[in-house]
Amino acid sequence: MRIRLALLTACASLAATALPAQAATTGTHLEGRLSSGAAYVMDVPASWNGTVLLYSHGYTPAGAPNPAQNTPGSATRDKLLAEGYALIGSSYATTGWAVTEAVPDQLATLDLFTERFGAARRTIAWGASYGGFVTSMLAERHAGRFDGSLSMCGLVQGGVANWNSTLDPVFALRTLLAPGSGVRLAGFADQAEAVAAGRALTSKVDAAQRTPEGRARIALAAALHNIPGHNDASQTKPGPTDWATQQTNQFTAVRGLLQLPAFSWRQEAESRAGGNPSWNTGVDYRSMLVRSPLYKEVTELYKEAGLSLRTDLSALGRAPRISADPSAVRWMRNTSVLSGRLTDPQLNIHTTGDALIPVQSESAYRRAATAAGSAGLLRQAYVDAPGHCTFTPGETLAALHTVEKRLDTGRWDVSPAALNSRARAEDPAAEPRYLPYRPTAYPRPYDLAHPGDARP
């Protein structure tokens, strides 16, 4: 194992491996590679408080740079080091849908930390986005290694539910905007075929956005994925009945879905699973739309366009469906589906305006934890903000310290007032945005706590 160890002093602040100035006078920065090939990074302040935080990073597309990460950002890192926390994390040995590498690589990083620095007084798993999913996997399947966990904007609906809900909007777009086009939505031969399919459907969506009828149908597809009408801080925030602005904002997110997750990223996951792990056989899109919080927007845009929503929903009902490969579903179920069985406290936080992993994913995990008898250990809190994982450092640290307070006292205090108070204490310059909120139900949940979910 190749290890680079730097013992830092105050006069070494210009060294490439120096700890942030806010940290203690001396500290240790450690980088290297695990036997799997994954990179790791560890920062340990001299005045270590005995708590180690194992950070799981988000999704890294195949072929993209894949450095080790031990915090969601430099501001959070600097603050935590100054407060005495040890920060560790790995890159995972592979990119893409890497859960089968991520979990053992994270555990190996923790093992190496213990070997080098000794046993921690407290170990907390935390992570963001895909890393929030990895965090929940660690908490469920390796509970003995952790005292608590924090999943931030996590893909906590799990793998099967994620790929099912990614299929639904593109199925609607193909059926309504590109009938007879033959655009493949799953079961790709290779990455080139997936990318070409994504581009072909994107061109149809771009053309549709120029007409009232097309915009109404794009809004319908967005509603099936629960894409919010304000999902990026750069967007104009629409009023409650500003359907045009909502739809314009959703269109941007739909294009993003087509360009990466629904095609390129799907193909990479399929290559691991050995086939297509998702399906829409038996799905009632009429009922799904009615349950969506975006139903009113869709009905109003259809009226403005002079289109029949009933006719389009009937077309979705008649369209040939996509079946899953049973072996691929089994692989995804065995590797990438959550059970909701928690042994230690877990806090989940999510932004309300998330288009990549819609906030309804939290409802899916609450469903699993309730069925598994773990509802008392799980708490969820929400930040009123557009975008994916757009928490301020103060909001992030407030959540982390809330987990610690639960471990210290045995009681949860996740009220917005308490979380906002902690966030202000950590980051006085930023106004915290926790609010009372309960997301609607996830459209198609799938977890190990519900045996009925096993049937495609």
Side-chain angles (χ1 to χ4, degrees), residues 210-231:
R210 296 192 285 270
T211 69
E213 297 84 358
R215 290 192 290 271
R217 287 167 170 152
I218 292 168
L220 168 57
L224 297 179
H225 196 57
N226 287 326
I227 294 175
H230 186 216
N231 54 74

PDB file of all heavy atoms in Angstrom, residues 210-231:
ATOM      1  N   ARG A 210     -41.243  24.423 -28.072  1.00  0.00           N
ATOM      2  CA  ARG A 210     -41.599  25.629 -28.821  1.00  0.00           C
ATOM      3  C   ARG A 210     -43.100  25.752 -29.080  1.00  0.00           C
ATOM      4  O   ARG A 210     -43.548  26.744 -29.672  1.00  0.00           O
ATOM      5  CB  ARG A 210     -40.829  25.645 -30.150  1.00  0.00           C
ATOM      6  CG  ARG A 210     -39.313  25.753 -29.946  1.00  0.00           C
ATOM      7  CD  ARG A 210     -38.599  26.069 -31.257  1.00  0.00           C
ATOM      8  NE  ARG A 210     -38.513  24.920 -32.146  1.00  0.00           N
ATOM      9  CZ  ARG A 210     -37.498  24.041 -32.139  1.00  0.00           C
ATOM     10  NH1 ARG A 210     -36.498  24.205 -31.284  1.00  0.00           N
ATOM     11  NH2 ARG A 210     -37.490  23.023 -32.990  1.00  0.00           N
ATOM     12  N   THR A 211     -43.900  24.767 -28.646  1.00  0.00           N
ATOM     13  CA  THR A 211     -45.350  24.827 -28.874  1.00  0.00           C
ATOM     14  C   THR A 211     -46.089  24.636 -27.546  1.00  0.00           C
ATOM     15  O   THR A 211     -45.590  23.961 -26.638  1.00  0.00           O
ATOM     16  CB  THR A 211     -45.800  23.728 -29.845  1.00  0.00           C
ATOM     17  OG1 THR A 211     -45.671  22.441 -29.211  1.00  0.00           O
ATOM     18  CG2 THR A 211     -44.969  23.752 -31.119  1.00  0.00           C
ATOM     19  N   PRO A 212     -47.299  25.208 -27.435  1.00  0.00           N
ATOM     20  CA  PRO A 212     -48.073  25.005 -26.203  1.00  0.00           C
ATOM     21  C   PRO A 212     -48.380  23.536 -25.938  1.00  0.00           C
ATOM     22  O   PRO A 212     -48.355  23.090 -24.783  1.00  0.00           O
ATOM     23  CB  PRO A 212     -49.359  25.805 -26.447  1.00  0.00           C
ATOM     24  CG  PRO A 212     -48.998  26.803 -27.491  1.00  0.00           C
ATOM     25  CD  PRO A 212     -47.967  26.145 -28.355  1.00  0.00           C
ATOM     26  N   GLU A 213     -48.663  22.792 -27.011  1.00  0.00           N
ATOM     27  CA  GLU A 213     -48.973  21.373 -26.841  1.00  0.00           C
ATOM     28  C   GLU A 213     -47.753  20.613 -26.316  1.00  0.00           C
ATOM     29  O   GLU A 213     -47.859  19.773 -25.420  1.00  0.00           O
ATOM     30  CB  GLU A 213     -49.417  20.768 -28.170  1.00  0.00           C
ATOM     31  CG  GLU A 213     -50.692  21.366 -28.743  1.00  0.00           C
ATOM     32  CD  GLU A 213     -50.460  22.631 -29.545  1.00  0.00           C
ATOM     33  OE1 GLU A 213     -49.292  23.094 -29.635  1.00  0.00           O
ATOM     34  OE2 GLU A 213     -51.442  23.182 -30.073  1.00  0.00           O
ATOM     35  N   GLY A 214     -46.609  20.917 -26.883  1.00  0.00           N
ATOM     36  CA  GLY A 214     -45.385  20.250 -26.436  1.00  0.00           C
ATOM     37  C   GLY A 214     -45.044  20.591 -25.000  1.00  0.00           C
ATOM     38  O   GLY A 214     -44.628  19.712 -24.226  1.00  0.00           O
ATOM     39  N   ARG A 215     -45.227  21.849 -24.626  1.00  0.00           N
ATOM     40  CA  ARG A 215     -44.916  22.250 -23.246  1.00  0.00           C
ATOM     41  C   ARG A 215     -45.823  21.544 -22.254  1.00  0.00           C
ATOM     42  O   ARG A 215     -45.388  21.132 -21.171  1.00  0.00           O
ATOM     43  CB  ARG A 215     -45.024  23.770 -23.105  1.00  0.00           C
ATOM     44  CG  ARG A 215     -43.908  24.518 -23.842  1.00  0.00           C
ATOM     45  CD  ARG A 215     -43.860  25.981 -23.465  1.00  0.00           C
ATOM     46  NE  ARG A 215     -44.995  26.732 -23.991  1.00  0.00           N
ATOM     47  CZ  ARG A 215     -45.037  27.320 -25.177  1.00  0.00           C
ATOM     48  NH1 ARG A 215     -44.001  27.212 -26.016  1.00  0.00           N
ATOM     49  NH2 ARG A 215     -46.090  28.021 -25.562  1.00  0.00           N
ATOM     50  N   ALA A 216     -47.082  21.368 -22.602  1.00  0.00           N
ATOM     51  CA  ALA A 216     -48.004  20.654 -21.715  1.00  0.00           C
ATOM     52  C   ALA A 216     -47.542  19.203 -21.527  1.00  0.00           C
ATOM     53  O   ALA A 216     -47.568  18.659 -20.410  1.00  0.00           O
ATOM     54  CB  ALA A 216     -49.416  20.699 -22.272  1.00  0.00           C
ATOM     55  N   ARG A 217     -47.111  18.584 -22.593  1.00  0.00           N
ATOM     56  CA  ARG A 217     -46.686  17.179 -22.507  1.00  0.00           C
ATOM     57  C   ARG A 217     -45.365  17.038 -21.749  1.00  0.00           C
ATOM     58  O   ARG A 217     -45.170  16.060 -21.025  1.00  0.00           O
ATOM     59  CB  ARG A 217     -46.592  16.592 -23.917  1.00  0.00           C
ATOM     60  CG  ARG A 217     -47.972  16.352 -24.510  1.00  0.00           C
ATOM     61  CD  ARG A 217     -47.964  16.075 -25.989  1.00  0.00           C
ATOM     62  NE  ARG A 217     -49.288  15.634 -26.422  1.00  0.00           N
ATOM     63  CZ  ARG A 217     -49.774  15.807 -27.650  1.00  0.00           C
ATOM     64  NH1 ARG A 217     -49.034  16.419 -28.571  1.00  0.00           N
ATOM     65  NH2 ARG A 217     -50.980  15.367 -27.952  1.00  0.00           N
ATOM     66  N   ILE A 218     -44.486  17.992 -21.892  1.00  0.00           N
ATOM     67  CA  ILE A 218     -43.247  17.971 -21.102  1.00  0.00           C
ATOM     68  C   ILE A 218     -43.577  18.131 -19.622  1.00  0.00           C
ATOM     69  O   ILE A 218     -42.975  17.476 -18.763  1.00  0.00           O
ATOM     70  CB  ILE A 218     -42.287  19.069 -21.595  1.00  0.00           C
ATOM     71  CG1 ILE A 218     -41.797  18.730 -23.005  1.00  0.00           C
ATOM     72  CG2 ILE A 218     -41.101  19.222 -20.642  1.00  0.00           C
ATOM     73  CD1 ILE A 218     -41.080  19.877 -23.699  1.00  0.00           C
ATOM     74  N   ALA A 219     -44.552  18.988 -19.318  1.00  0.00           N
ATOM     75  CA  ALA A 219     -44.971  19.144 -17.923  1.00  0.00           C
ATOM     76  C   ALA A 219     -45.543  17.837 -17.376  1.00  0.00           C
ATOM     77  O   ALA A 219     -45.316  17.491 -16.205  1.00  0.00           O
ATOM     78  CB  ALA A 219     -46.000  20.264 -17.801  1.00  0.00           C
ATOM     79  N   LEU A 220     -46.280  17.107 -18.192  1.00  0.00           N
ATOM     80  CA  LEU A 220     -46.807  15.811 -17.770  1.00  0.00           C
ATOM     81  C   LEU A 220     -45.661  14.855 -17.428  1.00  0.00           C
ATOM     82  O   LEU A 220     -45.681  14.186 -16.386  1.00  0.00           O
ATOM     83  CB  LEU A 220     -47.680  15.224 -18.880  1.00  0.00           C
ATOM     84  CG  LEU A 220     -48.088  13.756 -18.748  1.00  0.00           C
ATOM     85  CD1 LEU A 220     -48.828  13.499 -17.450  1.00  0.00           C
ATOM     86  CD2 LEU A 220     -48.938  13.334 -19.951  1.00  0.00           C
ATOM     87  N   ALA A 221     -44.661  14.797 -18.286  1.00  0.00           N
ATOM     88  CA  ALA A 221     -43.515  13.926 -18.014  1.00  0.00           C
ATOM     89  C   ALA A 221     -42.804  14.360 -16.739  1.00  0.00           C
ATOM     90  O   ALA A 221     -42.401  13.521 -15.922  1.00  0.00           O
ATOM     91  CB  ALA A 221     -42.554  13.943 -19.201  1.00  0.00           C
ATOM     92  N   ALA A 222     -42.631  15.666 -16.556  1.00  0.00           N
ATOM     93  CA  ALA A 222     -41.976  16.169 -15.345  1.00  0.00           C
ATOM     94  C   ALA A 222     -42.760  15.789 -14.098  1.00  0.00           C
ATOM     95  O   ALA A 222     -42.177  15.467 -13.051  1.00  0.00           O
ATOM     96  CB  ALA A 222     -41.814  17.685 -15.436  1.00  0.00           C
ATOM     97  N   ALA A 223     -44.076  15.810 -14.197  1.00  0.00           N
ATOM     98  CA  ALA A 223     -44.907  15.466 -13.043  1.00  0.00           C
ATOM     99  C   ALA A 223     -44.747  14.006 -12.641  1.00  0.00           C
ATOM    100  O   ALA A 223     -44.824  13.666 -11.460  1.00  0.00           O
ATOM    101  CB  ALA A 223     -46.378  15.772 -13.342  1.00  0.00           C
ATOM    102  N   LEU A 224     -44.513  13.133 -13.609  1.00  0.00           N
ATOM    103  CA  LEU A 224     -44.333  11.711 -13.294  1.00  0.00           C
ATOM    104  C   LEU A 224     -43.029  11.466 -12.536  1.00  0.00           C
ATOM    105  O   LEU A 224     -42.881  10.438 -11.862  1.00  0.00           O
ATOM    106  CB  LEU A 224     -44.358  10.879 -14.576  1.00  0.00           C
ATOM    107  CG  LEU A 224     -45.673  10.913 -15.365  1.00  0.00           C
ATOM    108  CD1 LEU A 224     -45.551  10.075 -16.630  1.00  0.00           C
ATOM    109  CD2 LEU A 224     -46.842  10.431 -14.514  1.00  0.00           C
ATOM    110  N   HIS A 225     -42.097  12.403 -12.631  1.00  0.00           N
ATOM    111  CA  HIS A 225     -40.830  12.310 -11.893  1.00  0.00           C
ATOM    112  C   HIS A 225     -40.792  13.273 -10.720  1.00  0.00           C
ATOM    113  O   HIS A 225     -39.788  13.362 -10.018  1.00  0.00           O
ATOM    114  CB  HIS A 225     -39.668  12.610 -12.843  1.00  0.00           C
ATOM    115  CG  HIS A 225     -38.330  12.178 -12.330  1.00  0.00           C
ATOM    116  ND1 HIS A 225     -38.053  10.886 -11.961  1.00  0.00           N
ATOM    117  CD2 HIS A 225     -37.186  12.876 -12.130  1.00  0.00           C
ATOM    118  CE1 HIS A 225     -36.790  10.809 -11.562  1.00  0.00           C
ATOM    119  NE2 HIS A 225     -36.250  12.002 -11.649  1.00  0.00           N
ATOM    120  N   ASN A 226     -41.882  14.033 -10.513  1.00  0.00           N
ATOM    121  CA  ASN A 226     -41.965  15.028  -9.440  1.00  0.00           C
ATOM    122  C   ASN A 226     -40.853  16.070  -9.530  1.00  0.00           C
ATOM    123  O   ASN A 226     -40.267  16.480  -8.516  1.00  0.00           O
ATOM    124  CB  ASN A 226     -41.948  14.350  -8.068  1.00  0.00           C
ATOM    125  CG  ASN A 226     -43.247  13.641  -7.749  1.00  0.00           C
ATOM    126  OD1 ASN A 226     -44.319  14.091  -8.153  1.00  0.00           O
ATOM    127  ND2 ASN A 226     -43.181  12.529  -7.047  1.00  0.00           N
ATOM    128  N   ILE A 227     -40.564  16.527 -10.745  1.00  0.00           N
ATOM    129  CA  ILE A 227     -39.570  17.587 -10.925  1.00  0.00           C
ATOM    130  C   ILE A 227     -40.186  18.917 -10.525  1.00  0.00           C
ATOM    131  O   ILE A 227     -41.179  19.353 -11.110  1.00  0.00           O
ATOM    132  CB  ILE A 227     -39.099  17.630 -12.392  1.00  0.00           C
ATOM    133  CG1 ILE A 227     -38.329  16.355 -12.735  1.00  0.00           C
ATOM    134  CG2 ILE A 227     -38.247  18.870 -12.648  1.00  0.00           C
ATOM    135  CD1 ILE A 227     -37.920  16.254 -14.190  1.00  0.00           C
ATOM    136  N   PRO A 228     -39.632  19.597  -9.530  1.00  0.00           N
ATOM    137  CA  PRO A 228     -40.253  20.832  -9.039  1.00  0.00           C
ATOM    138  C   PRO A 228     -40.136  21.977 -10.024  1.00  0.00           C
ATOM    139  O   PRO A 228     -39.244  21.998 -10.891  1.00  0.00           O
ATOM    140  CB  PRO A 228     -39.483  21.125  -7.744  1.00  0.00           C
ATOM    141  CG  PRO A 228     -38.177  20.422  -7.910  1.00  0.00           C
ATOM    142  CD  PRO A 228     -38.433  19.218  -8.759  1.00  0.00           C
ATOM    143  N   GLY A 229     -41.026  22.941  -9.898  1.00  0.00           N
ATOM    144  CA  GLY A 229     -41.064  24.085 -10.795  1.00  0.00           C
ATOM    145  C   GLY A 229     -40.034  25.144 -10.492  1.00  0.00           C
ATOM    146  O   GLY A 229     -39.933  26.131 -11.233  1.00  0.00           O
ATOM    147  N   HIS A 230     -39.270  24.982  -9.434  1.00  0.00           N
ATOM    148  CA  HIS A 230     -38.140  25.866  -9.124  1.00  0.00           C
ATOM    149  C   HIS A 230     -37.030  24.966  -8.623  1.00  0.00           C
ATOM    150  O   HIS A 230     -37.020  24.570  -7.467  1.00  0.00           O
ATOM    151  CB  HIS A 230     -38.535  26.908  -8.070  1.00  0.00           C
ATOM    152  CG  HIS A 230     -37.475  27.938  -7.814  1.00  0.00           C
ATOM    153  ND1 HIS A 230     -37.258  28.465  -6.559  1.00  0.00           N
ATOM    154  CD2 HIS A 230     -36.574  28.532  -8.647  1.00  0.00           C
ATOM    155  CE1 HIS A 230     -36.265  29.348  -6.639  1.00  0.00           C
ATOM    156  NE2 HIS A 230     -35.837  29.403  -7.887  1.00  0.00           N
ATOM    157  N   ASN A 231     -36.092  24.617  -9.509  1.00  0.00           N
ATOM    158  CA  ASN A 231     -35.113  23.592  -9.178  1.00  0.00           C
ATOM    159  C   ASN A 231     -33.670  24.034  -9.350  1.00  0.00           C
ATOM    160  O   ASN A 231     -32.758  23.213  -9.295  1.00  0.00           O
ATOM    161  CB  ASN A 231     -35.374  22.321  -9.996  1.00  0.00           C
ATOM    162  CG  ASN A 231     -35.438  22.591 -11.489  1.00  0.00           C
ATOM    163  OD1 ASN A 231     -34.422  22.826 -12.123  1.00  0.00           O
ATOM    164  ND2 ASN A 231     -36.652  22.565 -12.051  1.00  0.00           N
TER     165      ASN A 231
END
